[in-house]
Amino acid sequence: MAGENTQFQLVTFQLGEELYGVDIMDVKEIVKVQSVRPIPNAPYYVEGIINLRSEIIPIINLHKRFHITKLAVASDDEMEEDEGGFIILDIEGNKIGIIIDRVARVVPVNSADVKAPPQMLSGIGTEYIQGVVQQKDSYLIIMDTRKLFNAKELQKMIGEDSEE
């Protein structure tokens, strides 16, 4: 197996003006926007929780976490199904939802095309970025979902360690 020419798939989405991707293997599902119930004393970037088919899932606002301006909604209301929602990720057995501005599509990527991220990229620290893939006239930022949330943060969000 050629290590540098392996292919993987990314679920891509827009967050602000940039296009991001997460490994399809980490994505459980994509759901439309639902009402989010706030959690008292949660970290500033935790929007709250949703009940998805009797499962409680914390919802993370990456706009707040990385200080990204929300995408301005265009007047094309016909593209409603492509509008924002939540991507439900499975991170080490924990389901977490992230708020997105717009779902793009699933794209295949050759690992040989993934470049190291520049030092500063749209306010997101390089420690959260797995790499960058050059596209026609822009680039796709690959998020490292394992590093987005450390074990302590996951416990805090899931509520397993509610005694502080």
Side-chain angles (χ1 to χ4, degrees):
M1 192 159 47
E4 64 181 57
N5 204 16
T6 56
Q7 194 176 68
F8 57 99
Q9 292 189 313
L10 296 173
V11 173
T12 61
F13 57 93
Q14 197 153 4
L15 206 58
E17 297 296 319
E18 304 294 344
L19 190 63
Y20 294 88
V22 291
D23 192 317
I24 196 167
M25 300 306 286
D26 292 336
V27 176
K28 282 315 219 189
E29 61 186 301
I30 299 168
V31 296
K32 291 187 181 284
V33 172
Q34 302 181 21
S35 63
V36 177
R37 172 182 269 160
I39 305 171
N41 301 320
Y44 70 95
Y45 55 84
V46 176
E47 206 63 27
I49 55 174
I50 62 168
N51 185 335
L52 185 64
R53 292 184 293 283
S54 300
E55 199 168 0
I56 303 301
I57 299 173
I59 300 297
I60 308 307
N61 188 329
L62 294 180
H63 296 92
K64 289 180 181 176
R65 173 106 194 227
F66 298 124
H67 309 287
I68 297 172
T69 307
K70 227 170 154 27
L71 181 67
V73 178
S75 58
D76 319 285
D77 290 339
E78 300 132 30
M79 306 273 294
E80 220 172 281
E81 66 187 50
D82 289 343
E83 292 305 313
F86 307 130
I87 291 181
I88 308 300
L89 300 170
D90 188 334
I91 301 174
E92 297 175 14
N94 297 306
K95 287 188 181 163
I96 294 174
I98 57 172
I99 298 172
I100 58 170
D101 289 333
R102 176 174 285 143
V103 175
R105 60 188 203 274
V106 174
V107 295
V109 173
N110 287 319
S111 51
D113 295 337
V114 178
K115 307 292 180 229
Q119 283 303 74
M120 198 58 185
L121 203 56
S122 306
I124 295 181
T126 54
E127 68 268 23
Y128 303 114
I129 300 172
Q130 201 168 316
V132 177
V133 177
Q134 184 68 42
Q135 296 194 313
K136 293 174 205 138
D137 54 353
S138 66
Y139 49 88
L140 169 63
I141 303 165
I142 305 171
M143 285 192 169
D144 188 338
T145 55
R146 301 278 179 281
K147 291 184 180 168
L148 275 179
F149 313 104
N150 65 37
K152 279 185 179 175
E153 287 176 313
L154 285 173
Q155 279 187 331
K156 206 172 200 180
M157 285 185 278
I158 310 279
E160 291 173 7
D161 193 13
S162 54
E163 306 253 340
E164 293 239 328

